Short mmCIF file of all heavy atoms in Angstrom, two decimals:
data_model
loop_
_atom_site.label_atom_id
_atom_site.label_comp_id
_atom_site.label_asym_id
_atom_site.label_seq_id
_atom_site.Cartn_x
_atom_site.Cartn_y
_atom_site.Cartn_z
N VAL A 206 22.81 -2.38 17.64
CA VAL A 206 22.72 -3.26 18.85
C VAL A 206 21.27 -3.45 19.25
O VAL A 206 20.83 -4.55 19.52
CB VAL A 206 23.55 -2.64 20.00
CG1 VAL A 206 23.30 -3.39 21.30
CG2 VAL A 206 25.03 -2.59 19.63
N LEU A 207 20.52 -2.29 19.25
CA LEU A 207 19.12 -2.37 19.62
C LEU A 207 18.36 -3.31 18.70
O LEU A 207 17.59 -4.16 19.11
CB LEU A 207 18.50 -0.96 19.59
CG LEU A 207 17.05 -0.83 20.03
CD1 LEU A 207 16.90 -1.21 21.48
CD2 LEU A 207 16.48 0.53 19.81
N PHE A 208 18.62 -3.18 17.39
CA PHE A 208 17.95 -4.00 16.38
C PHE A 208 18.23 -5.47 16.61
O PHE A 208 17.36 -6.33 16.61
CB PHE A 208 18.34 -3.56 14.96
CG PHE A 208 17.95 -4.63 13.92
CD1 PHE A 208 16.65 -5.03 13.76
CD2 PHE A 208 18.97 -5.21 13.16
CE1 PHE A 208 16.31 -5.98 12.82
CE2 PHE A 208 18.64 -6.17 12.22
CZ PHE A 208 17.32 -6.58 12.05
N LEU A 209 19.55 -5.78 16.81
CA LEU A 209 19.93 -7.18 16.97
C LEU A 209 19.30 -7.79 18.23
O LEU A 209 18.82 -8.91 18.22
CB LEU A 209 21.44 -7.34 17.02
CG LEU A 209 22.15 -7.06 15.66
CD1 LEU A 209 23.66 -7.14 15.81
CD2 LEU A 209 21.66 -8.04 14.62
N ALA A 210 19.25 -6.97 19.32
CA ALA A 210 18.62 -7.44 20.53
C ALA A 210 17.14 -7.74 20.31
O ALA A 210 16.63 -8.78 20.72
CB ALA A 210 18.79 -6.39 21.65
N LEU A 211 16.45 -6.76 19.64
CA LEU A 211 15.03 -6.95 19.39
C LEU A 211 14.80 -8.16 18.47
O LEU A 211 13.81 -8.89 18.62
CB LEU A 211 14.43 -5.70 18.78
CG LEU A 211 14.33 -4.52 19.68
CD1 LEU A 211 13.85 -3.29 18.97
CD2 LEU A 211 13.37 -4.80 20.83
N ALA A 212 15.71 -8.38 17.50
CA ALA A 212 15.54 -9.48 16.58
C ALA A 212 15.67 -10.79 17.33
O ALA A 212 14.95 -11.76 17.14
CB ALA A 212 16.59 -9.43 15.46
N LEU A 213 16.63 -10.79 18.28
CA LEU A 213 16.82 -12.04 19.10
C LEU A 213 15.58 -12.36 19.88
O LEU A 213 15.07 -13.49 19.90
CB LEU A 213 18.04 -11.83 19.99
CG LEU A 213 18.57 -13.08 20.69
CD1 LEU A 213 19.15 -14.03 19.72
CD2 LEU A 213 19.60 -12.69 21.77
N VAL A 214 15.04 -11.30 20.54
CA VAL A 214 13.85 -11.50 21.35
C VAL A 214 12.69 -11.96 20.48
O VAL A 214 11.98 -12.92 20.77
CB VAL A 214 13.46 -10.16 22.06
CG1 VAL A 214 12.10 -10.31 22.80
CG2 VAL A 214 14.54 -9.80 23.06
N SER A 215 12.50 -11.27 19.30
CA SER A 215 11.37 -11.69 18.40
C SER A 215 11.56 -13.09 17.93
O SER A 215 10.57 -13.85 17.87
CB SER A 215 11.32 -10.74 17.17
OG SER A 215 11.48 -9.40 17.54
N GLY A 216 12.79 -13.48 17.58
CA GLY A 216 13.05 -14.78 17.11
C GLY A 216 12.73 -15.84 18.17
O GLY A 216 12.09 -16.85 17.85
N ILE A 217 13.14 -15.60 19.38
CA ILE A 217 12.87 -16.56 20.48
C ILE A 217 11.37 -16.63 20.71
O ILE A 217 10.79 -17.72 20.81
CB ILE A 217 13.62 -16.10 21.77
CG1 ILE A 217 15.10 -16.34 21.59
CG2 ILE A 217 13.11 -16.95 22.96
CD1 ILE A 217 15.94 -15.79 22.73
N VAL A 218 10.71 -15.46 20.77
CA VAL A 218 9.26 -15.46 21.01
C VAL A 218 8.56 -16.20 19.88
O VAL A 218 7.67 -17.05 20.15
CB VAL A 218 8.72 -14.02 21.11
CG1 VAL A 218 7.20 -14.01 21.05
CG2 VAL A 218 9.21 -13.36 22.38
N LEU A 219 8.89 -15.92 18.63
CA LEU A 219 8.15 -16.53 17.52
C LEU A 219 8.39 -18.04 17.43
O LEU A 219 7.49 -18.81 17.19
CB LEU A 219 8.51 -15.84 16.23
CG LEU A 219 7.82 -16.45 14.99
CD1 LEU A 219 6.31 -16.31 15.03
CD2 LEU A 219 8.33 -15.76 13.72
N HIS A 220 9.65 -18.44 17.58
CA HIS A 220 9.99 -19.82 17.24
C HIS A 220 10.06 -20.77 18.47
O HIS A 220 9.96 -21.95 18.31
CB HIS A 220 11.34 -19.88 16.52
CG HIS A 220 11.31 -19.10 15.22
ND1 HIS A 220 10.52 -19.49 14.16
CD2 HIS A 220 11.93 -17.96 14.84
CE1 HIS A 220 10.72 -18.65 13.19
NE2 HIS A 220 11.55 -17.69 13.56
N PHE A 221 10.17 -20.23 19.65
CA PHE A 221 10.40 -21.12 20.81
C PHE A 221 9.46 -20.92 21.97
O PHE A 221 9.66 -21.50 23.03
CB PHE A 221 11.84 -20.96 21.30
CG PHE A 221 12.87 -21.31 20.26
CD1 PHE A 221 13.58 -20.29 19.66
CD2 PHE A 221 13.13 -22.61 19.93
CE1 PHE A 221 14.52 -20.58 18.65
CE2 PHE A 221 14.03 -22.93 18.95
CZ PHE A 221 14.75 -21.92 18.32
N THR A 222 8.41 -20.08 21.81
CA THR A 222 7.52 -19.94 22.95
C THR A 222 6.06 -20.24 22.50
O THR A 222 5.73 -20.27 21.31
CB THR A 222 7.49 -18.49 23.48
OG1 THR A 222 6.91 -17.62 22.53
CG2 THR A 222 8.87 -17.99 23.84
N VAL A 223 5.20 -20.47 23.47
CA VAL A 223 3.81 -20.74 23.25
C VAL A 223 3.17 -19.57 22.48
O VAL A 223 2.39 -19.78 21.55
CB VAL A 223 3.07 -21.02 24.58
CG1 VAL A 223 1.62 -21.20 24.35
CG2 VAL A 223 3.71 -22.17 25.29
N VAL A 224 3.51 -18.36 22.97
CA VAL A 224 2.95 -17.18 22.33
C VAL A 224 3.24 -17.19 20.82
O VAL A 224 2.35 -16.98 19.97
CB VAL A 224 3.50 -15.90 22.95
CG1 VAL A 224 3.11 -14.67 22.18
CG2 VAL A 224 3.05 -15.79 24.41
N GLY A 225 4.48 -17.51 20.44
CA GLY A 225 4.87 -17.51 19.05
C GLY A 225 4.12 -18.58 18.25
O GLY A 225 3.66 -18.34 17.17
N ARG A 226 4.06 -19.79 18.85
CA ARG A 226 3.38 -20.87 18.17
C ARG A 226 1.89 -20.52 17.95
O ARG A 226 1.29 -20.90 16.99
CB ARG A 226 3.52 -22.18 18.95
CG ARG A 226 4.94 -22.72 19.03
CD ARG A 226 5.43 -23.17 17.67
NE ARG A 226 6.15 -22.07 17.00
CZ ARG A 226 6.53 -22.12 15.71
NH1 ARG A 226 6.23 -23.15 14.99
NH2 ARG A 226 7.19 -21.14 15.19
N ARG A 227 1.31 -19.84 18.97
CA ARG A 227 -0.10 -19.44 18.82
C ARG A 227 -0.27 -18.41 17.73
O ARG A 227 -1.28 -18.43 17.00
CB ARG A 227 -0.58 -18.84 20.17
CG ARG A 227 -0.89 -19.96 21.15
CD ARG A 227 -1.41 -19.37 22.44
NE ARG A 227 -1.73 -20.43 23.39
CZ ARG A 227 -1.88 -20.23 24.65
NH1 ARG A 227 -1.73 -19.05 25.17
NH2 ARG A 227 -2.18 -21.25 25.42
N ILE A 228 0.72 -17.50 17.56
CA ILE A 228 0.63 -16.52 16.46
C ILE A 228 0.60 -17.24 15.14
O ILE A 228 -0.22 -16.95 14.23
CB ILE A 228 1.79 -15.51 16.58
CG1 ILE A 228 1.63 -14.63 17.78
CG2 ILE A 228 1.89 -14.67 15.29
CD1 ILE A 228 2.80 -13.71 18.08
#
Side-chain angles (χ1 to χ4, degrees):
Chain A
V206 172
L207 184 64
F208 163 61
L209 289 176
L211 290 174
L213 191 67
V214 173
S215 315
I217 291 173
V218 168
L219 177 63
H220 299 294
F221 301 103
T222 68
V223 176
V224 171
R226 295 293 93 190
R227 282 181 178 162
I228 290 172

